Amino acid sequence: MQEIDKKFFYGRLRQLSFPIIFQSLMLALVAAGDAFMLGRVAQVEMTAVSLATQVQFVQNMFLMSLTSAGTILGAQYWGKGDKETLQKLFNLMLRYSGIASLIFFAACEFIPEILMKIFAGDAELIQIGSAYLRIAGWSYLLSGISQCYLATMKVTDHVKPCAFISSTAVILNILLNAVFIFGLLGAPRMQARGAALATTISRIVELALCIGISRGKAYVRPDWKGFFKVGRQLIRDFRKQCIPLMGGCLFWGVGFTSYTAIMGHLGVDAAAANSITAVVRDLICCACNGVASAAGIMVGNELGAGKLELGKAYGIKLKNISWIIGFASTALVLAVTPLLLKFVILTPRAQAYLTGMMIIMAVYMIGRCVNSVVINGIMDGGGDTIFDMYSLAVCMWGIAIPLALLGAFVFHWPVLLVYACTCLDEVGKIPWVMIRFRKYKWVRNLTIDDNTDAQ
């Protein structure tokens, strides 16, 4: 195995991962702000918003697959020094992401009640969640565009401006949450609808910052004149990466949403505890998400530059780091559990559920961190995108979801046992992931020399 310049490696990892971790943390704080502020108002308001935001979660799966395909190819072309092809990839991301965002926007505006009935059976939860979606749907329309800008910034080594944009939008979102949820500074007390309005305003600001900052000379911007003039081979390469990614994202996203729906039908107490647990999970997962994104860029840059052995060595090193992050995350979950129970206002039953769920999630975090870095970072960086879909089809859809459904609606297992079923997939697929990793199918150069043939 090729020797790694450790000083350069860790410097590059810090340079890429820290701003992305900060950005992920800022984004997770929005959900945390919604949950905890609404939790101070009423448990039902918090639970309804948590369930309603599952719609955006599913949309993000589409956006993630599209922007990830652009990031995988973009990282390799950036490593190769081909800025023109990267601009064409930006155009492709915008085209497909815009269509997906428009569909979700229309669903939130015209059929929010139908969407909410997927996640909840309680009439009050459906009513509050539907009102939230009608306002928040406008933010879903904008997020598809801004995510393309942010993905391109990460690939082109502009992670700090990217983090600045996201953090600015998040801070604004949290401040506006307080204003509109509680009715501060003369604003009406809107509760759940206030959280939706705060999200929409912050998305407008985020997109404006993306467009404004990207006007700088060092940035890659969309080529509006050649928006539909993309080489056929590049489109084929993009789709080759995107289709398995989308399959994996949808398997994972719809599966995760199914978990939320199952818990949501076990009663308000179970749904409330699950909502808080999900917020904590997303906050703690920021570290592995940041390292996973950095891993994809670092490995992709080296592979695209033709340095396959160095890219392989980077991948092995990053895999080892993922285990450290996993065990550290487990310890952190257990450490924050007592503080969480004192802060959030819940019924005694919901508090008992929350305690049990946090303990179960502590074990889950090991698998989540390792799998995120290895699958969504290292292996995706080399174009090995189809494995994620296979593993999710077996572990999540073949084992975890059927067990959770049977436990909840057929055998009527205790709430905590059903929750444990929803955590089986990440832990269960670790051995499979390690076997796939050691086959080194991800050690590939995906770039091509000619993308000039027009569509």
Side-chain angles (χ1 to χ4, degrees), residues 213-418:
I213 290 176
S214 292
R215 292 177 67 87
K217 291 183 179 180
Y219 290 81
V220 174
R221 295 178 296 279
D223 178 15
W224 299 113
K225 292 182 179 179
F227 193 69
F228 295 102
K229 295 179 181 179
V230 180
R232 292 189 184 94
Q233 183 59 48
L234 186 61
I235 292 175
R236 284 193 290 269
D237 288 347
F238 182 86
R239 289 175 179 171
K240 186 177 179 180
Q241 298 302 321
C242 185
I243 291 172
L245 280 169
M246 188 167 292
C249 283
L250 289 177
F251 271 145
W252 187 77
V254 176
F256 237 84
T257 304
S258 299
Y259 294 156
T260 304
I262 291 168
M263 301 305 297
H265 283 84
L266 294 180
V268 174
D269 288 329
N274 184 60
S275 299
I276 296 297
T277 306
V279 170
V280 176
R281 178 197 67 221
D282 292 343
L283 285 169
I284 294 178
C285 280
C286 290
C288 69
N289 293 340
V291 173
S293 296
I297 294 170
M298 290 173 67
V299 171
N301 283 168
E302 301 305 327
L303 297 178
K307 302 174 183 178
L308 300 187
E309 284 302 312
L310 184 58
K312 179 181 177 180
Y314 274 18
I316 294 170
K317 188 71 173 177
L318 289 160
K319 180 261 296 180
N320 295 336
I321 290 172
S322 73
W323 284 98
I324 298 172
I325 297 170
F327 283 105
S329 298
T330 294
L332 187 56
V333 170
L334 295 175
V336 302
T337 299
L339 299 174
L340 189 65
L341 292 169
K342 291 181 181 179
F343 184 80
V344 183
I345 299 174
L346 296 173
T347 65
R349 177 177 291 181
Q351 281 198 331
Y353 288 156
L354 179 59
T355 302
M357 288 178 183
M358 291 290 286
I359 294 171
I360 294 167
M361 189 178 70
V363 179
Y364 159 91
M365 290 301 298
I366 298 171
R368 175 66 181 271
C369 293
V370 171
N371 294 332
S372 293
V373 175
V374 174
I375 298 176
N376 305 123
I378 301 164
M379 290 164 61
D380 279 1
D384 187 9
T385 56
I386 200 165
F387 171 77
D388 192 23
M389 185 171 66
Y390 289 156
S391 66
L392 289 167
V394 174
C395 297
M396 177 179 274
W397 286 91
I399 299 173
I401 290 176
L403 276 177
L405 286 170
L406 289 171
F409 302 116
V410 178
F411 301 119
H412 304 291
W413 288 342
V415 167
L416 292 180
L417 184 55
V418 174

Side-chain angles (χ1 to χ4, degrees), residues 29-110:
L29 283 174
V30 175
D34 286 349
F36 293 132
M37 287 183 196
L38 289 169
R40 306 299 295 184
V41 174
Q43 179 174 300
V44 68
E45 294 275 338
M46 176 196 70
T47 306
V49 169
S50 176
L51 294 172
T53 53
Q54 293 303 302
V55 176
Q56 185 184 26
F57 180 76
V58 175
Q59 182 203 13
N60 283 341
M61 294 303 100
F62 284 95
L63 298 181
M64 187 185 301
S65 62
L66 293 166
T67 56
S68 294
T71 299
I72 290 167
L73 293 171
Q76 294 213 5
Y77 279 107
W78 186 252
K80 187 180 180 180
D82 188 347
K83 185 175 179 180
E84 182 181 350
T85 301
L86 187 54
Q87 188 176 46
K88 294 177 181 178
L89 285 167
F90 197 166
N91 288 348
L92 280 175
M93 285 191 286
L94 281 172
R95 281 160 57 177
Y96 294 126
S97 297
I99 293 170
S101 299
L102 187 61
I103 292 170
F104 277 87
F105 163 74
C108 290
E109 294 305 310
F110 298 112

Side-chain angles (χ1 to χ4, degrees), residues 127-178:
Q127 180 184 5
I128 295 171
S130 298
Y132 174 91
L133 286 175
R134 283 196 175 92
I135 299 173
W138 290 93
S139 71
Y140 304 164
L141 184 63
L142 302 174
S143 62
I145 302 172
S146 60
Q147 289 307 306
C148 295
Y149 274 92
L150 295 172
T152 304
M153 286 183 187
K154 290 177 187 176
V155 169
T156 55
D157 293 335
H158 293 105
V159 287
K160 289 183 179 179
C162 184
F164 166 76
I165 292 169
S166 294
S167 58
T168 299
V170 167
I171 292 169
L172 178 63
N173 196 336
I174 293 172
L175 293 174
L176 292 177
N177 268 345

